[in-house]
Structures are given as structure tokens and as C-alpha cells.
């Protein structure tokens, strides 16, 4: 079931935006024609394979590749020594800040391996069989070192230190010893200690989560060629062709403009494809062999060597008055960053209290390196962990106070004019409307059966604008081509085409949207952070507006009037000069046909750095049923409501809510990285890393709250992709608490844990 | 290493190929027959992206050795549409927005076709359990299940004589 | 003078100061002003920080205007999945 809440009396003057057309790339995707990362081959290509460390922490003493190189059919063998040494340069440019040397050392280990699965060498050969045989002939001498997986253990003074050069930043004084603690971030307001001490009611709890993987179904894949002229070609699936271009160029030390990247269709990313793993290796193998090289990861490699998100420990203290006003909050979070600094703990710190007006708080985030794969972005990076802690604690507070959990959230809800915990003042937010949407839902009023519980949780994400490009070209029959700078991961081409059609006043069928390669459209940041429909959409709309300007001028030339006497209405040029009232409107097709005689092709490209993405809020409602015999918890009903600004294509916005909710349900109930005592991942496959399947789930109902469009976007768009993964962890955990009467504070809420909780309760 | 000479039928057309003993049907479909619509998500039969219909039975082509295809009938996603008109399942997947990235979609379509061939009137629960061998990480399955249910209803309607 | 509130990531460069006033008409002016007052802070802010100017988030936007009575919050840049 899906519904949309609009502002009462809102005008509906749009023809295309808000409708549900068939997506323009749809036929390719249902017929098997769409070409994903592993679907392209280059003439003469070799197969590339990577040798990975079997140790979670070891010094590389030597690598002997001679026997592998001597194998007939092997065309290249490379190691870390084949990549340039890079300083600890920080790549600016708006994405989550990236340390270049760390990224390069993650792509191929240099002196140390830092996790089970870390790349140590690579080969290119004429067949997969030969490449795999070559890997077996590479001899690596390791000096194994003590390892550390768990975040609290990694923070201890006696923990094995991953990086001798890592000194904690963000402290009052630089520490004298290196450690695994990379950074401390703090946000505070008022006087937490005093307010907490004075509160009527105090809650305290520790909540933990495990590392989980983004779980995109398409493994990383690319094919790359290094030309004899130094010009590089990469075809592959990623969340940003320009990201691949920049990172490959910097890791390999070549000019950025020498690298040409064509974005393949991408089979899911969720943040996990916002960095490079294979592409620089494929290029280096191509340079060494003189052939194009294709590389495709196995699922085992995807789990062991690409980014999960952090596991974390979240300590929460809440103080409240008896009438439910939260007066003090303290949240301290410790996150696994994996092998290199850069967990999303800062984002967790900024988002964890973002739904609450609290005058006195302290938020502390610790970024901690561990012998696990370097974490990569995962949908609202960090926010689900912080929200899991805070929303669980708020639920406990509601139980203690005897308040309805929605009422407690309403009492403390942020609204326009509230100050976010990280600084900004909220404007044009609809969190209160989103809470009301859940309160008014049929689901909230429905009765529950035995062994069932109902959980509520809220969530926030900033959303993000940033650099994007869009082009609009008019074909000489009046057809429109829209070029987007961003890979289409969930239907954004449909949104681009719809916004262009709406702006130009043409039928959607006349608009063909494509994703440009790095040489055919201006720069853009990755598809991520819920920014594409907002920022790239803005560029497309601005380009369409420039095309309209050109069309008005061409019409003015043909009519021999001033351009200000020409209006663009419903896809036609209309002369507004009352003295020329007999002039018939000029259609887009007519103007396009005459373009060569009025100045040439009609076309515009806009590149911009979009500011003013509006934050989004979600409220989720989860009904869970527990089997007391087996401890299995099953989601039996689920509703997700979200402040979306305005949905361009409502079906795909609903899809974001549904998909995010289900990823969060998997995170809550099943998913986790499991390591053995030797620090090796034990469940690097879909059989043992259990993602939700269709039979685990009910329908996921959605409510799109459109009461508050974003005034900084022509159609009111707010980002929608990140928010829906923020509330589910706590929504599920809170439902479990209410179903079984005890709190299970550690994810995942697996059957053994639930059984143990039931037994402890009876004892 | 000697190769096997295999003859089979793919989407109604006769095909021949040479394959080693260890190659999978998925490898042959993708790398030799250029039918890249069938996807590899795990190589271990856990994700269903490589689903094909083999002699009327739904299988993961990554778990079928290529020599086993001798004399068999194989249906892939490329055979669903007649090339002009989409299959009702394809139409309904598009109408319902039952795909986001689209990578798992070929596997879901093939699995759903096998379901509707076997059971023209499945309940929601039957659809969910039949499709439990196919992983989708984008959609949460809601719109996929609806698309399959609506296709089943549409096909039942079409079977009623006028 | 704009009122600047810096999050803890900046404190090692400000000697622990979290709030101060800076004369600036644009973000670029502000970065220069921060560097003049706390050497290294301007560059750090330019590379690592986003800012909220009177409530609205700006990232990598040197020429966004700052009013004399503006409130500017500095916090880590926002990425996303």
C-alpha cells in the first residue's frame, strides 16, 4: 500500500512530474540487453586475477613472482612495487574526504597486509585457469603479526597497532604514542552533566552492531586498456565515472585527462561502489602486458576485500522530565574503520540526535582502525548505527515514562527553526508531518496478536548537493537527448527525462536520457548521498531552461520580433506582441528543423555546484512476531513514512523507501561479518551471510510526505535514498522489545540471541 | 585438456559449442554464446541471478556443468520476449517499477516464468517462497511480488475463452 | 563580524577555542580570516569542513556570501552512500 500526503490546497500544475511512466531504460533491463560491468569485452583482452592475503595482519617480507611469470599464457604479474609511492595527500573535491596513500595501499598492499583478503599481487593471463594457476605459484613470505578485530579491543593501549604513524587527532594534545584511534569528534551544547543530574528520569544503555555489507548483487567488474600512447580506457560499473577517472589517475600517477571512463550499468552500489578496487589494478596489468585486462570479483572477494560498513558500540544516556521532555543526552560511539582511518562516525555523531530538540548534549565519536576490510560508504553512512542507539534508548524512555513512543517523539521533535545538533537551523522540514502520517496510519491502529510487538523509530539524513552536470540537446526533428553526469542506480534517468520534459513542455516519449562518459559531459561527484535527482536534476533543468532561451531567440529571428516578445508555452514558441496576434505558435519540431538556418544546433550544458539540499526525515513502524520455541523473529507488517519534498517518479521513490527498509531489516535480524579466532571471515558468501529474501518479508507500505517541497529545487526535490535505512534497525529492535518484554541491545537479533534473552527473562 | 562438443537448444535455436569439463553453463552462455543477460552474482547458487530454465526446470546455471547441457532445452531471459513484444512479466515488471538497478531482474523474470508455467494462480506466499532463491537488494521485493501476481492474473484472464 | 562556531575537529588548530568572530563577506574571505587568526585552520576548513551559514549548508562554495551578522557553523564534510 502506498499513499502520498500533500499540503492541503497545493496546486497541481505539473504534467509529467509526479506521474508514473515506464522508465526509459526499462526495456533494456528486462530483456537482458543492458550491459553491466562484466558484460563488455575488449578485443584481445586478458583475464586478471588478484592474490589476496590469508592473514589479517602481517608484514610482507618478500614476494617471488618468477614461477608465476614463467607459466605459459601469463602476460603480466604485478605487486605493490609496480605502483608509485604516494604521499599522504588528502583528495579534496567534496566527496567524503579520501586519503590517497591509504586508498592506493588498499588497492594493493605495500609493506604490510592489514586484513584477510588484502590484495598483495595480481596476474593477467590468457585464461582464467592459467591466471588462477599463476596465483598459486606466487610465493609470498609473511611475518604474521597479532591482529585485532573488535573495536573496543583495538582501542586498548596494549592492542596490536596497525599503523606506526597513526596518532589520534581531535584531542587537546597530540598523543605521544601511535594507536589505532584515528580521530575523536565531538559535538556539544549546553551542560549535559548538570542537566542529566537534574533530570527526573535517567536512562543508560550500551548498544552494539556488527559490520554488515552493502550486498549489491553485481560483483565489482571492469575491463581496462592502457594504450601505447598512454591513453587509458576503463569500462566498468561504479557510482561515478569521474571518481574512477580521478582515483585511477592519482593512484597510477598519470594525468586525469588521459583516463577515459565509460560507465556501465551498475548492479547496485549503496555506497560500496564510491571507491576503486579493481580499476587501477586492471590498468597496471594492461600497462605491463600490453593487452586490455578484464577483472571480475568473486562473491568471496566482494565480502573479504570491499567495504562493509562499521560495526560499532554506541553508549547512550538520556535524561528527561516526567512529562517527556528530553533535557540531556550523551552519545558516545566507537566505530570500526577497517584497515585505514575513515569510519562514518562523524556523520553518525551529526545525525544521531538530529530528530530531537535537546538543549544539553554531548556527542563523542571515535574512529578506530581494525584488521578488517576498509569500510566503504553504505547508505546514510554511520546514521543507522547512531539511530539504533538513540532510538532504542528513546523507546526505553517511553516505556519508563509510560508514554506512547510517537507521543514522546512528538514532544521532542525538531521543526523549522530548531537548531540541528551539528549547527544549522532547520528550514522547510516535515518531521512533525511524518510522525503524524504514521500516527494517522491504519497500521498504527491495528490490533496485535500474541508474541507480536510493534516498534517505532525515526531517522534523519542531511542529503547532499554538490557538483553535477547535465546537457540537453535538440535533435533536428525536435527530439530531446538529456545527458546526465551520473550513473543511474535506481531509476534516475527516468527522473532526469521527466524533469526535462516538464521544463520544456514536451511529451516524455520525446526525451531520451543517457548517462555520459567522462569525455562527453562535465564533471560530477558520485551518485551517492541522495544527491543525483536533486543536484544533477538541477543541472538538467537549468540546461533545459537555456535551451528554451535559445528556442525563444530562434523564434524571434523567424518572426523578426524582439525575443522578449516570445514566450515558451506547452512546448511551443508563442508571440506575445499584440500587433502580431495572427502569428501561429512555432513548435519545437519546426524550430529544430530550421536550426541550421537560424544559427546552428540548439543545445546547452550546465555544470554547477548545488547548495541547499534539504534534509530528510523518516519514521518507520514495524510489527514483529517471535516464535518462542525457536527464537525466530519475523517482520509481519511494515510501514515507512518519509519527508520527500516532492517525488518526481513516485514508484521509484517508494522503491527507495522499501529497499532501504529491507536492508535495515536484514541488518537488524540476520546480517553480520563473522571472523574466526585467526581473524579470517567465516561467512564470505550469500549462503552464510544471510540477506533478506522474498519469503522473509511482508509487503512494505509507504507514505510519501509531500507537504514541504524543497524551495531550492525547481520541483521541490529532497534526497530520498539514504533516510530509509536509518530507522529500521531500531524499529525492529523496539518491536522485539515490545514482543518479548526484554531489550536485546546487540545486533543482529538472531534466533540464538532472542532465545537467550527469553531464557534469561524466565530465570 | 580435451574439450567436449555439446549440442543443445537455446531459446528455441540449435547451438553447438566446445567446452572443458569444469566450465559451467553460465560461463558458456555468457562467454561463448554472448548471452550476457544471464548474470553471475555469486557463482554458488545462492543469489539466483543466473537462473535459466533447463528442460522446463528452473536451475542456477552456475551450478550446471556445461557438458550437462548436451541435448537439453535451455531458456534464458533473452528468449522471454519474441523480439517485438515484451512478455507480460516484462511488461508488469516495468509497470510496477519492480526493478531499480536491474541486475537481478533477468533471474527474477526467468524464475517467475517457471513459477507461472507450473502454477498459474499462485498465492502471495507461494510467490514469495518460489522467488526465495533470488536475491534483490534494491527493491525489498514488494513491487516484484506485485508484478508477478498481476501477471498471473493477466495470463489467467487471457486464457478465458471470449 | 560573522560569528564562527567550530566543531571539535578544528580545536587542535584553534588551541581549543570553539567560538570566535571573523570579518568576512564571502566563504573565501572567511577561510583567509581563519588562516590569519589560526595558521593552518583556513586550509583545514577548506579541505575538510562544510559550513552552515545562517542555517543553510554550503560545501566547497568560496563565493557564497556571508553577512556581517551571520552565524557560521563548521562541521565535517558530508558524503553519502
Amino acid at each position: 500500500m502506498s499513499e502520498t500526503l500533500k499540503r492541503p490546497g497545493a496546486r497541481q500544475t505539473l504534467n509529467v512530474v509526479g506521474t508514473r511512466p515506464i522508465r526509459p531504460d526499462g526495456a533494456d533491463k528486462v530483456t537482458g540487453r543492458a550491459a553491466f560491468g562484466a558484460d563488455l569485452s575488449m578485443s584481445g583482452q586478458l583475464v586478471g586475477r588478484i592474490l589476496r592475503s590469508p592473514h589479517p595482519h602481517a608484514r610482507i617480507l618478500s614476494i617471488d613472482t618468477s614461477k608465476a611469470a614463467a607459466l605459459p599464457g601469463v602476460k603480466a604479474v604485478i605487486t605493490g612495487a609496480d605502483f608509485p609511492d604516494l604521499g599522504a595527500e588528502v583528495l579534496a573535491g567534496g566527496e567524503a574526504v579520501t586519503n590517497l596513500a591509504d586508498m592506493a595501499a588498499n588497492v594493493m598492499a605495500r609493506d604490510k597486509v592489514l586484513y584477510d583478503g588484502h590484495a598483495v599481487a595480481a596476474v593477467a593471463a590468457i585464461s582464467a585457469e592459467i591466471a588462477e594457476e599463476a596465483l598459486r605459484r606466487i610465493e609470498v613470505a609473511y611475518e604474521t603479526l597479532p591482529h585485532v578485530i573488535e573495536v573496543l579491543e583495538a582501542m586498548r593501549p596494549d592492542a596490536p597497532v596497525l599503523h606506526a604513524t597513526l596518532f589520534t587527532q581531535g584531542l587537546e594534545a597530540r598523543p605521544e604514542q601511535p594507536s589505532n584511534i584515528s580521530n575523536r569528534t565531538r559535538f556539544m551544547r549546553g551542560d549535559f552533566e548538570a542537566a542529566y543530574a537534574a533530570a527526573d528520569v535517567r536512562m543508560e544503555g550500551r548498544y552494539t552492531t556488527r559490520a554488515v555489507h552493502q550486498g549489491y548483487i553485481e560483483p565489482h567488474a571492469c575491463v581496462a586498456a592502457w594504450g601505447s600512447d598512454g591513453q587509458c580506457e576503463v569500462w566498468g560499473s561504479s557510482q561515478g565515472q569521474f571518481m574512477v577517472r580521478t582515483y585511477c589517475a592519482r593512484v597510477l600517477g598519470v594525468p586525469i585527462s588521459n583516463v577515459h571512463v565509460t560507465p556501465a550499468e551498475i548492479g547496485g552500489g549503496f555506497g560500496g561502489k564510491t571507491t576503486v578496487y579493481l580499476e587501477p589494478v586492471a590498468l597496471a596489468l594492461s600497462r605491463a602486458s600490453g593487452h586490455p585486462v578484464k577483472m571480475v570479483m568473486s562473491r568471496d572477494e566482494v565480502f573479504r576485500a570491499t567495504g562493509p560498513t562499521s560495526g560499532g558500540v554506541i553508549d547512550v544516556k538520556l535524561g528527561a522530565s516526567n512529562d517527556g521532555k528530553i533535557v540531556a543526552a550523551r552519545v558516545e560511539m566507537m566505530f570500526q574503520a577497517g584497515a585505514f582511518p575513515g569510519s562514518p562516525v562523524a556523520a553518525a555523531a551529526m545525525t544521531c540526535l538530529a530528530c530531537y530538540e535537546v538543549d544539553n548534549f554531548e556527542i563523542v565519536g571515535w574512529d578506530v582502525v581494525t584488521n578488517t576490510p576498509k569500510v566503504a560508504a553504505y547508505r546514510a553512512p554511520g546514521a543507522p548505527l547512531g539511530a539504533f542507539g538513540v532510538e532504542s534508548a528513546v523507546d526505553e524512555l517511553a516505556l519508563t515514562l509510560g508514554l506512547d513512543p510517537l507521543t514522546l517523539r512528538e514532544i521532542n521533535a525538531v521543526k523549522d527553526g530548531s537548531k540541528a545538533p551539528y549547527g544549522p537551523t532547520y528550514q522547510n522540514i516535515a518531521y512533525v508531518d511524518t510522525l503524524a502520517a504514521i500516527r494517522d496510519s491504519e497500521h498504527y491502529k491495528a490490533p496485535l496478536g500474541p508474541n507480536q510487538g510493534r516498534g517505532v523509530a525515526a531517522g534523519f539524513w542531511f542529503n547532499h548537493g554538490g557538483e553535477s552536470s547535465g546537457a540537453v540537446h535538440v535533435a533536428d526533428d525536435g527530439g530531446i537527448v538529456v545527458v546526465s553526469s551520473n550513473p543511474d542506480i535506481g531509476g534516475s534517468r527516468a527522473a532526469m527525462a521527466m524533469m526535462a520534459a516538464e521544463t520544456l513542455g514536451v511529451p516524455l516519449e520525446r526525451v531520451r536520457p543517457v548517462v555520459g562518459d567522462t569525455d562527453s559531459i562535465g564533471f560530477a561527484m558520485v551518485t551517492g548521498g541522495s544527491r543525483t535527482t536533486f543536484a544533477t536534476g538541477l543541472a538538467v533543468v537549468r540546461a533545459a531552461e537555456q535551451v528554451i532561451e535559445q528556442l525563444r531567440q530562434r523564434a524571434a529571428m523567424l518572426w523578426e520580433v524582439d525575443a522578449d516578445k516570445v514566450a515558451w508555452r506547452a512546448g511551443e514558441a508563442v508571440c506575445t506582441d499584440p500587433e502580431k496576434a495572427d502569428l501561429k505558435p512555432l513548435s519545437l519540431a519546426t524550430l529544430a528543423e530550421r536550426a541550421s538556418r537560424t544559427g546552428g544546433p540548439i543545445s546547452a550544458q550546465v555544470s554547477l555546484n548545488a547548495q541547499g539540499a534539504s534534509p530528510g526525515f523518516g519514521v518507520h513502524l514495524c510489527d514483529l512476531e517471535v516464535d518462542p520455541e525457536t527464537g525466530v523473529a519475523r517482520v509481519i507488517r511494515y510501514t515507512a513514512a518519509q519527508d520527500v519534498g516532492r517525488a518526481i517518479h513516485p514508484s521509484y521513490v517508494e522503491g527507495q523507501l522499501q529497499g532501504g527498509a529491507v536492508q535495515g531489516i536484514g541488518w537488524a535480524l540476520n546480517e553480520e561479518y563473522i571472523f574466526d579466532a585467526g581473524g579470517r571471515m567465516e561467512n564470505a558468501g550469500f549462503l552464510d551471510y544471510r540477506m533478506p529474501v522474498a519469503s522473509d518479508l511482508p509487503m512494505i507500505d509507504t507514505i510519501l510526505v509531500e507537504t514541504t517541497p524543497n524551495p531550492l529545487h525547481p520541483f521541490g526535490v529532497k534526497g530520498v535514498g539514504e533516510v530509509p535505512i536509518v530507522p529500521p534497525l531500531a524499529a525492529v529492535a523496539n518491536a522485539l522489545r515490545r514482543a518479548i518484554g526484554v531489550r536485546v541491545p546487540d545486533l543482529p537479533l538472531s534466533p540464538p540471541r532472542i532465545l537467550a534473552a527469553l531464557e534469561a527473562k524466565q530465570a | 585438456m580435451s574439450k567436449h562438443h555439446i549440442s543443445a537448444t537455446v531459446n528455441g535455436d540449435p547451438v553447438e559449442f566446445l567446452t572443458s569439463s569444469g566450465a559451467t553453463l553460465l560461463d558458456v552462455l555468457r562467454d561463448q554464446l554472448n548471452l550476457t543477460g544471464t548474470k553471475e552474482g555469486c557463482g554458488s547458487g545462492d543469489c539466483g541471478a543466473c537462473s535459466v530454465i533447463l528442460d522446463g526446470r528452473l536451475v542456477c546455471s552456475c551450478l550446471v556443468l556445461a557438458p550437462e547441457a548436451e541435448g537439453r532445452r535451455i531458456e534464458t531471459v533473452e528468449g522471454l520476449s519474441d523480439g517485438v513484444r515484451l512478455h507480460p512479466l516484462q511488461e508488469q515488471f516495468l509497470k510496477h517499477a519492480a526493478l531499480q538497478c536491474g541486475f537481478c531482474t533477468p533471474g527474477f523474470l526467468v524464475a517467475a516464468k517457471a513459477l507461472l508455467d507450473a502454477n498459474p494462480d499462485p498465492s502471495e506466499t507461494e510467490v514469495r517462497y518460489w522467488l526465495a532463491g533470488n536475491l534483490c537488494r534494491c527493491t525489498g521485493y514488494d513491487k516484484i511480488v506485485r508484478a508477478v501476481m498481476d501477471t498471473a492474473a493477466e495470463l489467467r484472464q487471457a486464457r478465458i475463452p471470449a | 563580524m560573522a560569528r564562527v562556531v567550530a566543531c571539535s575537529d578544528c580545536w587542535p588548530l584553534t588551541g581549543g577555542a570553539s567560538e570566535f568572530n571573523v570579518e568576512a563577506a564571502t566563504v573565501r574571505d572567511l577561510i583567509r580570516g581563519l588562516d590569519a587568526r589560526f595558521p593552518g585552520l583556513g586550509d583545514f576548513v577548506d579541505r575538510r569542513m562544510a559550513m552552515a551559514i545562517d542555517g543553510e549548508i554550503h560545501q566547497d562554495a568560496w563565493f557564497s556570501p556571508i553577512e556581517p551578522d551571520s552565524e557560521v557553523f563548521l562541521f565535517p564534510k558530508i558524503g553519502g552512500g
Side-chain angles (χ1 to χ4, degrees):
Chain A
M1 196 179 63
S2 54
E3 38 177 312
T4 301
L5 297 186
K6 294 190 185 294
R7 196 205 314 261
R11 261 185 331 131
Q12 281 301 300
T13 54
L14 300 170
N15 297 312
V16 184
V17 166
T19 64
R20 299 173 186 251
I22 299 293
R23 63 195 275 170
D25 57 320
D28 282 354
K29 293 247 166 103
V30 296
T31 54
R33 224 165 41 215
F36 290 84
D39 294 341
L40 187 89
S41 296
M42 288 188 188
S43 177
Q45 76 185 18
L46 304 172
V47 177
R49 285 284 193 274
I50 289 179
L51 182 69
R52 298 188 179 277
S53 167
H55 305 296
H57 195 192
R59 201 174 309 286
I60 300 173
L61 301 176
S62 65
I63 305 179
D64 182 351
T65 60
S66 57
K67 287 177 187 151
L71 188 68
V74 172
K75 300 293 185 183
V77 186
I78 61 170
T79 68
D82 294 280
F83 291 84
D85 272 326
L86 300 167
E89 183 188 349
V90 169
L91 280 182
E95 303 297 350
V97 175
T98 302
N99 181 307
L100 187 62
D102 287 351
M103 188 174 61
N106 194 38
V107 163
M108 190 63 70
R110 308 295 159 104
D111 53 334
K112 265 170 92 173
V113 291
L114 295 161
Y115 55 94
D116 161 44
H118 199 163
V120 291
V123 302
I126 57 169
S127 74
E129 293 75 17
I130 293 172
E132 279 154 23
E133 178 56 31
L135 293 186
R136 286 190 282 273
R137 294 184 185 207
I138 296 173
E139 293 167 3
V140 186
Y142 293 103
E143 176 199 348
T144 58
L145 301 168
H147 68 275
V148 62
I149 304 284
E150 301 300 330
V151 67
L152 294 181
E153 288 173 25
M155 294 175 79
R156 291 163 53 108
D158 59 348
V161 171
L162 273 69
H163 303 282
T165 53
L166 186 65
F167 292 84
T168 311
Q169 296 187 323
L171 301 179
E172 287 72 15
R174 180 186 150 103
E176 287 174 14
Q177 297 294 324
S179 74
N180 295 322
I181 303 171
S182 146
N183 193 36
R184 180 187 68 171
T185 298
R186 282 196 290 173
F187 293 88
M188 54 197 73
R189 183 186 300 159
D191 185 342
F192 164 76
E193 293 295 347
Y196 187 68
D200 297 335
V201 181
R202 285 181 286 276
M203 312 292 319
E204 188 168 351
R206 165 165 286 189
Y207 303 88
T208 70
T209 74
R210 309 298 295 175
V212 296
H213 198 271
Q214 293 82 351
Y216 33 82
I217 312 299
E218 181 202 32
H220 298 258
C222 69
V223 54
W226 189 299
S228 52
D229 54 1
Q231 297 293 312
C232 301
E233 283 287 335
V234 180
W235 163 291
S237 80
S238 75
Q239 286 176 244
Q241 63 275 43
F242 294 96
M243 173 278 295
V244 171
R245 182 178 74 164
T246 301
Y247 289 179
C248 284
R250 303 306 292 271
V251 167
L252 295 164
V254 302
I256 288 174
S257 58
N258 279 21
V259 183
H260 175 220
V261 183
T262 305
E265 295 296 336
I266 169 171
F270 314 108
K273 293 177 184 169
T274 57
T275 187
V276 290
Y277 299 100
L278 295 177
E279 294 86 349
V281 179
L283 278 172
L285 284 169
S286 177
R287 176 176 54 186
S289 67
H291 294 268
V293 174
K294 182 166 175 173
M295 302 188 79
V296 181
M297 279 195 195
S298 67
R299 181 55 54 180
D300 176 86
E301 290 180 287
V302 172
F303 275 115
R304 286 169 63 212
T306 73
T309 193
S310 308
V313 175
I314 304 108
D315 290 332
V316 185
K317 287 181 179 177
L318 293 178
S321 61
N322 282 326
D323 59 1
K325 180 77 192 107
I326 299 172
V327 296
R330 187 175 196 283
V331 186
E332 182 162 11
M333 294 178 278
M334 287 68 75
F335 280 16
Q336 284 172 317
F340 301 96
S343 78
V345 74
M350 289 190 276
T351 55
C352 65
L353 292 174
C355 295
Y356 298 92
E357 273 193 335
V358 191
D359 291 335
N360 303 285
F361 64 78
E362 182 179 6
I363 306 167
V364 185
W366 300 89
D367 182 44
V368 183
V369 294
T370 49
N371 291 115
T372 54
K374 163 74 174 80
V375 299
Y378 181 18
R379 212 166 187 161
L385 289 82
F388 171 59
V390 169
E391 294 297 307
S392 297
V394 168
D395 196 53
E396 286 297 314
L397 187 61
L399 287 160
T400 302
L401 292 169
L403 277 175
D404 171 286
L406 274 178
T407 304
L408 179 57
R409 285 173 175 82
E410 285 161 352
I411 291 169
N412 295 284
V414 290
K415 42 194 88 66
D416 285 355
S418 303
K419 189 174 273 192
Y422 58 100
T425 305
Y426 290 125
Q427 299 161 10
N428 303 297
I429 64 170
Y431 177 47
V432 171
D433 294 349
T434 309
L435 285 165
I438 288 291
R439 179 178 289 290
D440 295 341
S441 69
E442 199 186 307
H443 181 178
Y444 198 65
K445 300 169 188 123
L448 288 166
N451 299 315
Q452 295 179 356
R454 176 166 295 154
V456 172
F460 164 90
W461 186 251
F462 316 90
N463 297 323
H464 183 33
E467 293 171 85
S468 275
S469 300
V472 174
H473 306 303
V474 182
D476 51 12
D477 65 353
I480 302 292
V481 173
V482 169
V483 187
S484 161
S485 57
N486 283 85
D488 174 357
I489 205 163
S492 65
R493 258 170 301 198
M496 299 301 149
M498 291 170 73
M499 288 187 274
E502 188 73 63
T503 306
L504 290 162
V506 301
L508 183 64
E509 303 73 55
R510 296 293 283 150
V511 182
R512 177 183 169 81
V514 298
V515 179
D517 59 74
T518 52
D519 291 357
S520 67
I521 185 73
F523 176 84
M525 295 172 172
V526 293
T527 295
S530 294
R531 58 175 291 278
T532 301
T533 303
F534 171 72
T536 310
L538 193 61
V540 166
V541 170
R542 296 286 175 251
E545 288 167 352
Q546 289 188 10
V547 161
I548 289 171
E549 278 312 297
Q550 293 175 35
L551 289 163
R552 287 178 53 231
Q553 279 168 15
R554 305 300 175 95
M557 290 164 77
L558 291 169
W559 281 329
E560 298 174 349
V561 301
D562 287 341
D564 63 6
K565 292 283 187 289
V566 181
W568 189 257
R569 287 182 199 147
E572 293 181 323
V574 179
C575 188
T576 57
D577 187 343
E579 290 174 17
K580 304 206 173 188
D582 55 330
L583 285 173
K584 286 209 175 74
L586 285 167
S587 70
L588 177 59
T590 306
L591 289 165
E593 187 198 337
R594 296 180 189 173
S596 62
R597 294 179 185 79
T598 55
I602 298 169
S603 164
Q605 181 177 161
V606 169
S607 293
L608 46 73
N609 187 359
Q611 309 295 330
S614 224
F617 293 83
V619 182
H620 288 200
L621 187 60
C622 172
D623 290 359
L624 202 71
E625 182 170 296
V626 178
D627 180 340
E629 300 293 318
T630 61
V632 170
R634 194 180 163 81
V635 175
I636 53 169
R637 188 168 183 181
Y638 202 97
T639 302
Q642 189 171 319
D643 166 18
V644 301
R646 179 179 274 124
I648 301 297
H649 192 310
S651 296
Y652 288 97
V653 174
E654 291 159 10
Q656 289 295 321
L657 270 58
Q658 293 165 334
V662 167
Q663 280 185 315
I665 290 169
W667 195 337
L669 290 178
N670 300 310
E671 297 178 32
E672 64 176 315
Y673 267 53
I674 301 170
F675 293 92
D676 67 15
R680 291 172 193 91
M681 188 180 178
E682 286 194 303
N683 60 335
F686 280 142
L687 188 61
D688 298 314
Y689 183 94
R690 179 67 164 72
M691 305 201 313
V693 299
S695 56
D696 296 334
L697 296 160
M699 293 296 184
I700 307 295
D701 294 337
T702 59
I703 306 172
L704 306 185
V705 178
E706 292 195 336
T707 56
T708 315
N710 178 4
L712 295 174
H713 185 278
F715 299 117
V717 166
K718 295 177 180 175
V720 296
E722 323 273 310
V723 173
I725 203 172
V726 183
L729 281 58
V732 172
N734 293 344
L736 179 69
R737 163 66 184 80
R738 286 160 189 273
I740 67 173
V742 285
R743 172 75 49 185
V744 183
D746 305 304
L747 298 187
L749 305 170
S750 56
R753 267 209 183 110
I754 293 175
L755 273 186
L758 286 169
E759 281 163 17
K761 181 188 163 198
Q762 273 161 7
Chain B
M1 197 162 36
S2 70
K3 298 220 168 184
H4 306 267
H5 176 227
I6 304 298
S7 304
T9 305
V10 176
N11 298 326
D13 294 326
V15 298
E16 293 181 46
F17 53 87
L18 289 175
T19 179
S20 59
S21 302
T24 66
L25 176 57
L26 175 62
D27 294 334
V28 167
L29 288 172
R30 288 183 54 82
D31 300 338
Q32 289 185 250
L33 302 179
N34 295 320
L35 293 170
T36 54
T38 304
K39 304 300 180 192
E40 178 162 0
C42 68
S44 55
D46 298 314
C47 78
C50 66
S51 297
V52 301
I53 298 175
L54 186 67
D55 281 349
R57 193 167 147 246
L58 179 66
V59 297
C60 287
S61 60
C62 74
L63 296 183
V64 177
L65 290 172
E68 292 183 272
E70 173 62 33
R72 321 263 308 255
R73 212 162 24 86
I74 300 154
E75 297 167 64
T76 73
V77 68
E78 286 90 348
L80 271 184
S81 151
D82 63 10
V84 182
R85 272 194 353 225
L86 294 177
H87 185 279
L89 272 168
Q90 294 170 314
E91 299 268 11
Q92 290 289 350
F93 266 59
L94 291 178
K95 190 177 143 201
H96 281 272
L99 55 143
Q100 286 176 32
C101 80
F103 189 80
C104 70
T105 308
F108 269 96
L109 288 166
V110 169
K113 174 166 189 300
L115 166 65
L116 299 186
D117 286 350
N119 178 359
D121 191 8
S123 67
E124 183 191 326
T125 303
E126 286 172 322
V127 171
R128 287 185 177 277
Y129 276 87
W130 184 278
L131 296 178
N134 292 76
L135 291 176
C136 169
R137 192 61 155 173
C138 294
T139 66
Y141 305 102
D142 181 300
K143 294 182 190 301
I144 292 175
V145 173
R146 288 177 200 277
V148 174
M149 302 284 290
D150 278 10
T151 309
E154 182 189 336
L155 291 174
R156 288 197 304 276
Q157 195 68 31
R159 280 195 200 96
I160 297 169
Chain C
M1 298 272 268
R3 182 96 187 128
V4 177
V5 183
C7 83
S8 71
D9 291 32
C10 302
W11 299 349
L13 289 162
T14 65
S18 62
E19 297 195 28
F20 31 85
N21 297 323
V22 176
E23 191 87 54
T26 64
V27 169
R28 193 188 197 182
D29 279 353
L30 181 81
I31 289 168
R32 288 183 183 132
L34 292 173
D35 241 357
R37 178 133 181 209
F38 303 109
L41 180 62
D43 183 59
F44 180 80
V45 167
D46 192 30
R47 284 172 176 273
R48 304 275 187 129
M49 296 285 119
M51 50 187 80
I53 304 168
D54 298 323
E56 195 174 291
I57 296 176
H58 294 253
Q59 197 154 308
D60 300 317
W62 274 3
F63 299 100
S64 290
I66 294 174
E67 304 299 326
D69 58 346
S70 282
E71 190 175 50
V72 180
F73 278 84
L74 305 177
F75 55 90
K77 273 188 183 170
I78 298 161

